[in-house]
Amino acid sequence: MRARLTPASAQTLNKGLHNMRVIVLGAGVVGITSAYFLQQLGHEVTVIDRQSTPGAETSFANGGQISVSHAEPWANPSAPLKVLQWLGKEDAPLLFRLRADAQQWSWIIRFLRECTPGRTRHNIRQIVNLGTYSRDTLQQVRRDTGLQYDQRRQGILHFYTNEKEFQAALAPAEQMRELGCQRSVVSADDAVQIEPALQTVKHQLAGATFTAEDESGDANLFTRELARHCAEAGVRFRMGCHITALHEAGGSLDHVEITNEDGHYERIQADAYVLSAGSFSPLLARPLGITLPIYPAKGYSVTLPVADASKAYEVSLTDDEFKLVFSRYTSSAGDRLRIAGTAELNGYERALNRVRCEAIVRRVEQLFPGAADPTQAQFWSGLRPATPSNVPLIGKTRVGNLYLNTGHGTLGWTHACGSGKSIARIVSGLAPELDFAFSGMGHASSPSAAALGRV
Ligand SMILES: Cc1cc2nc3c(=O)[nH]c(=O)nc-3n(C[C@H](O)[C@H](O)[C@H](O)COP(=O)(O)OP(=O)(O)OC[C@H]3O[C@@H](n4cnc5c(N)ncnc54)[C@H](O)[C@@H]3O)c2cc1C
């Protein structure tokens, strides 16, 4: 057992040496990929989570898309008007339920600031850069570990049933192509050729885009399998432990306070800490004076067993009008359709709204009649850790040995491997491998200390 480092010596290590004791706070897909890459770089890693298994909160039943092409953030020039029109509509794709909640209002003001054309272009650049790097890194992880997680590499087809929305998508798609994401514009005929199951609604299609390199797969299975791999490689897991506070001393984090698996108070110390607690990250950071602009955006998913394989889609899809994403998980464990979407900004509650659940099932039956068995639908809700820009917070904080890898919003599965590898390099004092606005790293366009409170 190595002697505990003082905060000062921990900072020296942060500047370049390896083999530190690192605690990862949170075992979602982002925490587990961070742990994997930290362990690969030679650190002694412990992951802490309140759940009994990894990936049990927002990484449990998401839409499954590895979608570099899904890079246009909610905050874009058309958003303010749409959000206003959607206020109070139970089945709106993006619903702000306004509350007497300072955190919500401050998030909304920041969201509106991100809606200018300039900010949107900047955010798309960040999201595409991280997405491309992350998809490549995921493929490398797959080669290195042999993990299987019902993955498919058939691309993502984004289809439009509204001409105006299709036209509005052309400029962002062009920007994505300029940034290296090959999101090509295709006709309704091409779309049906790529995914024949869309034949039923072909006459309604205004057009589509197709990104052949995008993928899909079960994020929860991936998280659990990668966690198992990490455990075999020596990563320690403290599951069933509730993190109650982070304690600072002399400019560094001194220890984490938990209620442990036996319900007892315990302190755990390390040389460095990575905060990956999803929507709950701001609650843990706030007492340190670090204000993270993350607000929970509740989304829904429905999982349906396939009833007739010939009527079900193979290619992962995005239905622009209904803001739903579709993935298919096929393995010896079964053949399932996963459909996810909708966003509701209403604090931390996760109640399932019947209207929204039924609207999703209705849309599946409209698009792919007879493909799935709606009587066996499994409904789920999860809280996306949303930043106003949909750009995650990855990097340093003003607390010397506390790092962020959080705020992944709608794209945490897509961005997990790239974010995990980047934070592992930053913690190790190595330069990240991509051009991205990392927090606290002096990047010209990284979120400033003022924008993030006292990060
Ligand atoms: C409906 C829906 C569809 C989505 N579809 C997609 C998609 O198709 N593609 C895509 O890329 N992304 C998608 N996402 C987004 C993606 O799922 C999230 O961004 C991602 O799961 C976030 O991972 P995370 O590890 O940051 O958070 P989480 O998975 O929530 O992990 C955080 C962990 O921290 C733990 N924790 C929090 N507080 C404490 C505490 N005090 N003590 C102990 N433990 C704590 C939690 O238990 C949890 O395990 C979707 C999300 C939703 C809701």
Side-chain angles (χ1 to χ4, degrees), residues 25-32 48-51 53-67 70 219 223 239 241-245 258 276-281 284 297-301 325 327 339-342 380-385 405-416:
L25 304 156
V29 68
V30 174
I32 296 299
I48 308 177
D49 199 291
R50 59 189 169 201
Q51 298 287 344
T53 52
E57 296 207 359
T58 309
S59 307
F60 186 71
N62 70 18
Q65 290 192 333
I66 297 294
S67 47
H70 206 132
T223 307
M239 302 306 292
C241 292
H242 200 106
I243 303 154
T244 47
I258 62 168
S276 293
S279 292
F280 297 84
S281 295
L284 291 170
K298 183 169 75 168
Y300 290 80
S301 78
V325 301
S327 294
I339 304 93
T342 82
W380 171 83
S381 70
L383 301 174
R384 298 178 188 88
N405 191 10
T406 191
H408 289 71
T410 61
L411 288 172
W413 170 215
T414 304
H415 288 164

Side-chain angles (χ1 to χ4, degrees), residues 212 273 275 325:
Y273 304 79
L275 181 57
V325 301

Side-chain angles (χ1 to χ4, degrees), residues 55-353:
E57 296 207 359
T58 309
S59 307
F60 186 71
N62 70 18
Q65 290 192 333
I66 297 294
S67 47
V68 181
S69 58
H70 206 132
E72 199 180 8
W74 286 335
N76 61 61
S78 70
L81 185 63
K82 279 188 190 161
V83 166
L84 267 181
Q85 287 166 344
W86 286 334
L87 276 179
K89 278 197 180 161
E90 275 309 312
D91 56 352
L94 177 55
L95 177 59
F96 287 80
R97 284 193 201 277
L98 301 177
R99 302 153 55 101
D101 171 356
Q103 200 196 340
Q104 188 196 45
W105 280 92
S106 126
W107 191 95
I108 292 173
I109 290 165
R110 286 175 169 166
F111 175 87
L112 292 173
R113 283 198 201 125
E114 298 295 334
C115 290
T116 62
R119 287 303 300 168
T120 305
R121 286 183 70 80
H122 167 80
N123 293 332
I124 290 178
R125 188 164 62 246
Q126 305 306 315
I127 293 168
V128 171
N129 284 355
L130 179 58
T132 310
Y133 175 69
S134 199
R135 193 180 55 201
D136 291 348
T137 309
L138 169 67
Q139 291 166 359
Q140 187 61 50
V141 170
R142 217 159 47 211
R143 284 192 291 276
D144 292 345
T145 61
L147 288 194
Q148 296 295 318
Y149 51 92
D150 291 355
Q151 68 270 23
R152 281 179 187 256
R153 300 190 64 189
Q154 289 164 278
I156 293 181
L157 183 72
H158 191 138
F159 64 89
Y160 298 79
T161 44
N162 178 309
E163 180 63 34
K164 204 169 139 215
E165 295 297 332
F166 176 55
Q167 292 303 328
L170 300 181
E174 191 185 339
Q175 192 199 348
M176 289 175 213
R177 286 195 298 280
E178 281 162 14
L179 292 166
C181 167
Q182 291 315 318
R183 182 174 172 185
S184 38
V185 178
V186 299
S187 67
D189 283 338
D190 293 338
V192 174
Q193 229 174 8
I194 293 165
E195 180 42 76
L198 282 174
Q199 179 66 41
T200 327
V201 288
K202 185 177 161 188
H203 60 286
Q204 294 173 26
L205 298 183
T209 65
F210 183 57
T211 314
E213 288 177 295
D214 274 344
E215 307 187 357
S216 65
D218 185 340
N220 178 256
L221 185 56
F222 174 87
T223 307
R224 286 185 285 119
E225 287 294 295
L226 191 62
R228 191 177 51 76
H229 182 94
C230 288
E232 282 167 11
V235 172
R236 192 162 174 232
F237 283 86
R238 298 287 308 269
M239 302 306 292
C241 292
H242 200 106
I243 303 154
T244 47
L246 309 180
H247 284 278
E248 185 186 351
S252 282
L253 211 61
D254 182 67
H255 64 270
V256 177
E257 191 181 287
I258 62 168
T259 303
N260 72 15
E261 38 288 65
D262 300 319
H264 298 140
Y265 165 85
E266 191 182 324
R267 289 170 156 209
I268 314 184
Q269 287 181 313
D271 307 314
Y273 304 79
V274 176
L275 181 57
S276 293
S279 292
F280 297 84
S281 295
L283 308 187
L284 291 170
R286 194 178 305 141
L288 300 169
I290 296 174
T291 308
L292 302 180
I294 295 173
Y295 195 78
K298 183 169 75 168
Y300 290 80
S301 78
V302 180
T303 309
L304 298 157
V306 170
D308 182 341
S310 67
K311 294 179 178 158
Y313 54 86
E314 298 266 356
V315 174
S316 187
L317 303 168
T318 301
D319 174 1
D320 193 77
E321 190 166 348
F322 283 71
K323 304 278 181 269
L324 292 174
V325 301
F326 297 68
S327 294
R328 182 167 173 183
Y329 303 151
T330 312
S331 64
S332 53
D335 195 2
R336 294 162 299 148
L337 304 184
R338 167 71 52 74
I339 304 93
T342 82
E344 201 175 314
L345 282 94
N346 188 26
Y348 283 85
E349 62 87 26
R350 283 183 57 189
L352 285 168
N353 175 326

Side-chain angles (χ1 to χ4, degrees), residues 24 30-41 43 45-47 230 235 237 420 423-424:
V24 177
V30 174
I32 296 299
T33 47
S34 306
Y36 171 78
F37 287 105
L38 284 160
Q39 197 277 333
Q40 292 252 309
L41 285 175
H43 302 297
V45 183
T46 301
V47 179
C230 288
V235 172
F237 283 86
I423 200 62

Side-chain angles (χ1 to χ4, degrees), residues 371-387:
D373 179 358
T375 64
Q376 291 190 52
Q378 288 178 342
F379 299 107
W380 171 83
S381 70
L383 301 174
R384 298 178 188 88
T387 62

